[in-house]
Amino acid sequence: MSGNTDVIVIGGGYAGVMAANRLTQRGDVTVTLVNSRPEFVDRIRLHQLAGGTGPAVVDYRKVLAPGVRLVVDTATRIDAATRRVTLAGGDTLGYDYLVYAVGSGSADPGVPGAAEFAHPIASLEEAERVRPLLDAASTVTVVGGGPTGIETAAELAGQGRAVTLVCGGELGPYLHPKGRRSVARRLEKLGVTVLEGLAVTAVTRDAVELSDGRALLSGVTIWTAGFGVPDLADRSGLTTDALGRLLTDETLTSVDDERIVAAGDSAAPSGLPVRMSCQAAVQVGPQAARTVLARIAGEEPAPVDVGFAGMCISLGRRHGIFQFSTKDDTAKSNFICGWFGALVKEVICRSIVWQLGYEARHPGKRQWWAKDEKRRELVRNHAPAVTDQAA
């Protein structure tokens, strides 16, 4: 391809920023990042923002390459046929290639009263809304036993609140049993009441009703169970998986259009998406850009590689856990906990912002992803299913 190439990145989260920064490798590529907010949201700190123990926003100048144009608006439709993106503000933007990195957010709870009375914290606005409510609450119920629920419960209990954590299944299902026991002990020391294996059947203004018939008094109910993705791809007529993630091949290219590439939580490569996480996003983002750059150069894009190291969970400001895993995201028996676990967690959180800034200053100088050899076999075994979905 000769001449200048216009690339639009929709979504300014971890994956979108990494993709936008790497695209600046080429001087003949104009990169536009469309994001609904003027500041970068450090999403892994939203539980701290909700609890009032720290901020969760970073100036884009710290993480975004100066050559990237930031458009503060929301994409409402992608017209693949004309290669144009319609924005909520009324403008349209044309593109030669598009990186779809809209991320994820709160899922519809599907529980009576939850949408009205429970408070998700998957976005900046949600965390900001719940903050003043927590200031006036003495009792808090956190629904969801995953990492966000655990972190939120520990953060709030560490400030002296009476917190109940309701887990639909077991506490921390990702964790190895040894790591799970360590987390349970810490939550117990913080005074968190953990209820495992109970579903929430209804939420009212001041209570949470459980599947065993009990009703828990709750000054504030925080909902962390499950994530969903924006429906932009589906509304735009693009092929998605059952959750709404853009269906792609292993090069992160849409099965509908080779000019559209996906990254982050909203991508479903080969119908086998990796775990929604910052850890995956910062690996997939630059590879989405790599695919675009390969197509611009007339080269064959490489398949995606994602390798996990584990999961880190803060348990208040002074304790945490780092659960080690295999590269295919299976928890191992070894972990780091206590004050050292908190230190590791904080170092990782800070390193993510540094990583984004490094890519902004030195695009393409480092490879941020690891390889998981088991994925290749998994993709081969599931290839027929992907073909059926795309048909």
Side-chain angles (χ1 to χ4, degrees), residues 36 100 314 325 372:
S36 60
Y100 187 82
S314 64
S325 77
D372 168 25

Side-chain angles (χ1 to χ4, degrees), residues 182-264:
S182 176
V183 169
R185 287 193 295 269
R186 180 57 191 166
L187 290 176
E188 183 179 10
K189 288 183 179 179
L190 287 169
V192 177
T193 300
V194 178
L195 302 178
E196 296 185 86
L198 290 173
V200 173
T201 57
V203 181
T204 64
R205 187 179 302 278
D206 56 6
V208 172
E209 297 178 14
L210 304 177
S211 54
D212 65 355
R214 280 185 290 170
L216 304 176
L217 292 179
S218 180
V220 175
T221 301
I222 298 178
W223 197 278
T224 70
F227 290 98
V229 299
D231 63 351
L232 176 60
D234 186 55
R235 285 188 286 109
S236 299
L238 299 171
T239 304
T240 64
D241 69 0
L243 194 62
R245 292 170 289 209
L246 186 65
L247 190 63
T248 76
D249 63 16
E250 277 298 278
T251 71
L252 302 171
T253 303
S254 166
V255 296
D256 301 306
D257 190 336
E258 69 172 17
R259 299 288 184 133
I260 299 176
V261 178

Side-chain angles (χ1 to χ4, degrees), residues 18 21-22 24-25 65-66 354-368:
M18 285 295 281
N21 288 340
R22 179 145 302 204
T24 63
Q25 268 187 282
W354 173 88
Q355 186 176 343
L356 298 174
Y358 184 93
E359 185 68 27
R361 298 186 301 272
H362 310 285
K365 295 296 183 183
R366 294 189 63 172
Q367 176 176 305
W368 302 106

